[in-house]
Amino acid sequence: MAGFRYHDVAPVDIAMIPHPSVTLLFDLSDNGVTYDVSGNPVTGNAIVGLSPDALRVASSGASEVLQVRLSPVIAAAIFGDPELLGGTVTPLAPVWGPRAGTLHDQLRAAPSWDDRFALTLQFLQGRASCAFAVAPEVAYAWGETVRYRGRLRIDDLATETGWSRQHLWSRFRSQIGLSPKRAAELVRFDHAAHLLAAGHSPVTAAFEAGYADQSHLHRHAKAFAHISPAAVASAPWLAIDDIAWPAR
């Protein structure tokens, strides 16, 4: 979880760098934060699925947002709907109903970020009992994809789970929201994005993240974030990530 506050009164419009997680965003500001995916805006509390296309975050002025990053395996148990895990942005209110409004009011009234984190954790733990859950084989495949930073072959993952490649592909896509290949590409890009943000050159980041060359990384940056690797390195959204910016 992370809490961040934008103090300036000037409007903000930034690209949200994709991350291999389902992101839950609580808008605690007065002005309202809008999340726009290819011209489809969602304002207020939202669920951002894995790898949304060209997601931008906009606000008309000072704002506060509490962000929760969830493994899709955990998010599946919390939300109970695999449709929310893929590349979509969904308003939170229709998913949780009045309970979302109650939690939102409690978070706004809480005296500190630590209190807000505690309230959010308690709420999510209470929600993690839905009937839908990913298969153990799919959970294993996701965990290994993250562990090896997207550099495992799908055939090897299938062999380790005891499933055929086609069966793993089908179940993974239906339960995680992405194909195994797309998930691996997202995890690899996230690793490269953190290397870029930490000051590594695009050439070094491409090599360390397992890309064929700098052009390969450039194509993935354009595909996932719609910006160049250089822009990824300085993206304001990564400024709230203590892994990308340990000194800040």
Side-chain angles (χ1 to χ4, degrees):
M1 287 186 284
F4 55 98
R5 182 178 293 116
Y6 175 68
H7 294 284
D8 204 334
V9 295
V12 60
D13 181 11
I14 61 175
M16 181 173 171
I17 305 302
H19 185 271
S21 64
V22 176
T23 305
L24 180 58
L25 296 161
F26 291 100
D27 177 13
L28 308 178
S29 57
D30 294 324
N31 295 311
V33 176
T34 298
Y35 310 95
D36 191 302
V37 180
S38 302
N40 297 307
V42 172
T43 300
N45 304 326
I47 305 164
V48 179
L50 293 163
S51 188
D53 181 59
L55 175 62
R56 300 198 68 84
V57 181
S59 173
S60 59
S63 56
E64 288 188 337
V65 175
L66 190 154
Q67 171 192 270
V68 184
R69 283 175 171 171
L70 298 165
S71 157
V73 176
I74 301 299
I78 289 175
F79 297 118
D81 184 356
E83 294 296 324
L84 299 176
L85 307 185
T88 62
V89 178
T90 306
L92 187 58
V95 178
W96 282 344
R99 288 168 294 189
T102 300
L103 177 60
H104 179 265
D105 292 341
Q106 291 173 337
L107 292 174
R108 281 186 56 111
S112 70
W113 284 110
D114 284 341
D115 290 315
R116 288 171 170 173
F117 297 151
L119 282 167
T120 304
L121 180 59
Q122 181 181 31
F123 182 87
L124 294 178
Q125 287 173 332
R127 292 288 303 167
S129 59
C130 294
F132 176 78
V134 303
E137 293 85 354
V138 172
Y140 174 82
W142 172 263
E144 291 298 278
T145 298
V146 173
R147 178 184 175 193
Y148 288 97
R149 292 172 172 167
R151 301 179 72 173
L152 281 181
R153 296 176 65 248
I154 306 304
D155 289 344
D156 292 338
L157 276 175
T159 298
E160 291 175 14
T161 62
W163 286 354
S164 69
R165 187 181 193 276
Q166 293 77 11
H167 189 58
L168 175 61
W169 192 283
S170 175
R171 293 290 296 277
F172 193 101
R173 188 181 185 91
S174 66
Q175 295 185 7
I176 296 295
L178 300 176
S179 71
K181 179 181 178 181
R182 185 66 171 174
E185 290 174 345
L186 174 60
V187 170
R188 185 188 304 175
F189 173 72
D190 175 67
H191 180 44
H194 280 81
L195 290 170
L196 291 166
H200 295 279
S201 70
V203 173
T204 301
F207 175 78
E208 292 291 336
Y211 287 96
D213 51 32
Q214 183 179 347
S215 296
H216 190 193
L217 171 59
H218 184 87
R219 290 195 299 273
H220 271 218
K222 285 290 188 178
F224 279 106
H226 291 246
I227 54 178
S228 68
V232 169
S234 59
W237 192 263
L238 282 176
I240 66 166
D241 190 322
D242 60 355
I243 298 175
W245 301 90
R248 301 190 181 184

